[in-house]
Amino acid sequence: MAAAYIVDYLRSPFTPAYRGALAEARPDDLAAAVIRALVARSGIDPADIEDIMLGCAFPEGEQGLNIARCAALIAGLPQSVGGSTINRWCGSSMQAVQMAAGAIAMGAGDVFVAGGVESMSRVPMMGFNPMPNPVWSDAQRMALLNMGLTAENLAERYAISREAQDTYSLGSQAKALAARADKRLIAEVTPIGDVTEDGCPRATDYEKLAGLKAAFKADGSVTAGNSSPLTDGASAALVCSEDFVTRHHLTPLARIAGYATSGCAPEIMGIGPVEASCKALKRAGLSAGQIDVIEMNEAFAAQLLACCRDLDIDPARLNRDGGAIALGHPLGATGARLVGKASLLLKRDGGRHALATQCIGGGQGIAMVLEAA
């Protein structure tokens, strides 16, 4: 089957929902701006694009009407370019990258833009009118609707202390602030109007984090400081076949080498990356010890630390330029950010293999393995 490559990747600045610089931006405009910038930077002929595959966790309101097709039209792409909106909640845009790679593998196109978008300012978490099936118990409904409680469940099951969560979160903020100060994020962030930088990272200290109240459970340990914030943002990766890369003399970032999804109990959804990563690594013929770059989504510090324990991974190895606790987590956009960032790090810092993985609300995990091009 034909190999698929991540040729380039861009994202918007990620900014806090409701109070951030992109809170008034329509998500279809936001996605269109990132797609337009990615295509322009790549230098490819837009007419060569087969499809725009765009992940979105809550595709309704301004994110409805098949936002992928809307964004393609707003971006000024040729009418011949299709658009498909994909929903696997937090894993939506990593799923989009996989679907693009799958289409390439079966000879159904050579060039795809795969990414995602979420305006958590414009469309609220869980959408405007969530309606869980009435046959479900209260516990089942809460496992689907309140992700913070699922993180509390993992903190309790794995005996992950508040101190450990806050310490990890402080490190994520420090990494993100250092990456921004050192201008290491310029290669991946395209300005949206006059918004040029991420708005979520915060200069803080351990004492400030330790002083925050629990956010989801009165006697809990999960706080706003050790969780990812509600965020607005968009991301996009250019995914191309090997033949197209060769014929057009492109320099890809990485080859997609493995992929997997998995399911788990919804009430511990944050452990999803464990099984998904194990499956993806096995399919790529690799072990965790052979991975040079790891981008794991920081939905909550508690869930990330639980995953690291089961995968026998040192948390210090993760997310070199900070993760979602610092950068933000615009749900539908995060998966492509993880894949794109892992690909960029292989090119920037060296190494042969990378793993991008994340948990998914409702009890799932998703993972992708990349090989340096």
Side-chain angles (χ1 to χ4, degrees):
M1 293 188 290
Y5 287 82
I6 307 296
V7 172
D8 203 359
Y9 148 72
L10 275 176
R11 65 174 176 89
S12 73
F14 284 2
T15 62
Y18 303 113
R19 57 188 173 82
L22 296 176
E24 298 302 316
R26 282 184 60 103
D28 46 5
D29 288 333
L30 192 56
V34 175
I35 292 167
R36 187 186 302 118
L38 178 72
V39 172
R41 186 167 83 171
S42 73
I44 66 166
D45 183 348
D48 287 333
I49 301 171
E50 181 81 17
D51 207 358
I52 304 295
M53 296 179 168
L54 207 61
C56 185
F58 296 100
E60 56 182 284
E62 292 179 6
Q63 296 178 167
L65 299 174
N66 187 6
I67 189 172
R69 177 60 172 167
C70 294
L73 295 172
I74 295 167
L77 299 182
Q79 298 280 358
S80 59
V81 179
S84 177
T85 301
I86 295 143
N87 187 356
R88 195 191 284 274
W89 269 19
C90 306
S92 296
S93 55
M94 194 179 296
Q95 179 68 49
V97 175
Q98 187 277 333
M99 291 174 68
I104 288 169
M106 67 180 294
D110 286 303
V111 185
F112 295 82
V113 174
V117 63
E118 207 79 37
S119 174
M120 301 181 80
S121 297
R122 315 293 288 181
V123 179
M125 182 77 166
M126 299 303 158
F128 291 109
N129 189 25
M131 299 179 68
N133 195 297
V135 305
W136 288 355
S137 67
D138 288 344
Q140 287 174 310
R141 283 193 291 272
M142 291 307 291
L144 198 70
L145 297 175
N146 192 324
M147 298 302 104
L149 288 179
T150 72
E152 289 283 10
N153 291 339
L154 283 174
E156 182 177 342
R157 292 192 188 195
Y158 284 74
I160 297 171
S161 69
R162 168 71 182 270
E163 291 75 15
Q165 295 174 57
D166 288 348
T167 298
Y168 179 85
S169 302
L170 183 62
S172 182
Q173 294 284 0
K175 288 178 183 178
L177 290 169
R180 188 169 67 182
D182 294 344
K183 302 190 183 305
R184 281 181 266 142
L185 303 179
I186 288 177
E188 68 188 90
V189 177
T190 186
I192 305 296
D194 59 358
V195 184
T196 60
E197 290 189 335
D198 296 316
C200 294
R202 289 288 178 268
T204 187
D205 56 42
Y206 182 82
E207 288 70 28
K208 289 179 182 177
L209 290 177
L212 296 174
K213 294 181 179 180
F216 304 100
K217 187 178 177 182
D219 60 346
S221 60
V222 179
T223 72
N226 57 42
S227 307
S228 58
L230 301 179
T231 313
D232 303 327
S235 62
L238 183 64
V239 187
C240 300
S241 69
E242 185 173 18
D243 179 65
F244 187 88
V245 166
T246 301
R247 283 189 287 112
H248 292 268
H249 308 289
L250 300 176
T251 303
L253 299 172
R255 180 181 71 86
I256 297 172
Y259 170 83
T261 59
S262 65
C264 63
E267 64 269 20
I268 52 168
M269 68 91 195
I271 208 68
V274 173
E275 181 61 22
S277 295
C278 289
K279 288 168 67 175
L281 288 167
K282 183 177 180 180
R283 289 169 181 171
L286 299 168
S287 67
Q290 294 175 279
I291 300 300
D292 303 295
V293 172
I294 304 174
E295 285 289 316
M296 183 184 293
N297 192 42
E298 300 169 355
F300 303 92
Q303 64 82 207
L304 178 139
L305 292 171
C307 290
C308 286
R309 191 174 300 176
D310 278 359
L311 288 167
D312 194 24
I313 292 173
D314 181 354
R317 294 181 59 200
L318 307 182
N319 310 335
R320 293 178 189 174
D321 291 344
I325 288 172
L327 296 172
H329 178 22
L331 306 173
T334 290
R337 182 191 75 79
L338 295 169
V339 170
K341 183 66 177 185
S343 301
L344 281 175
L345 289 174
L346 284 176
K347 182 68 71 174
R348 186 190 81 188
D349 297 344
R352 184 156 179 79
H353 295 106
L355 172 69
T357 186
Q358 60 187 132
C359 62
I360 300 170
Q364 296 184 78
I366 191 168
M368 182 168 284
V369 177
L370 302 152
E371 183 179 45

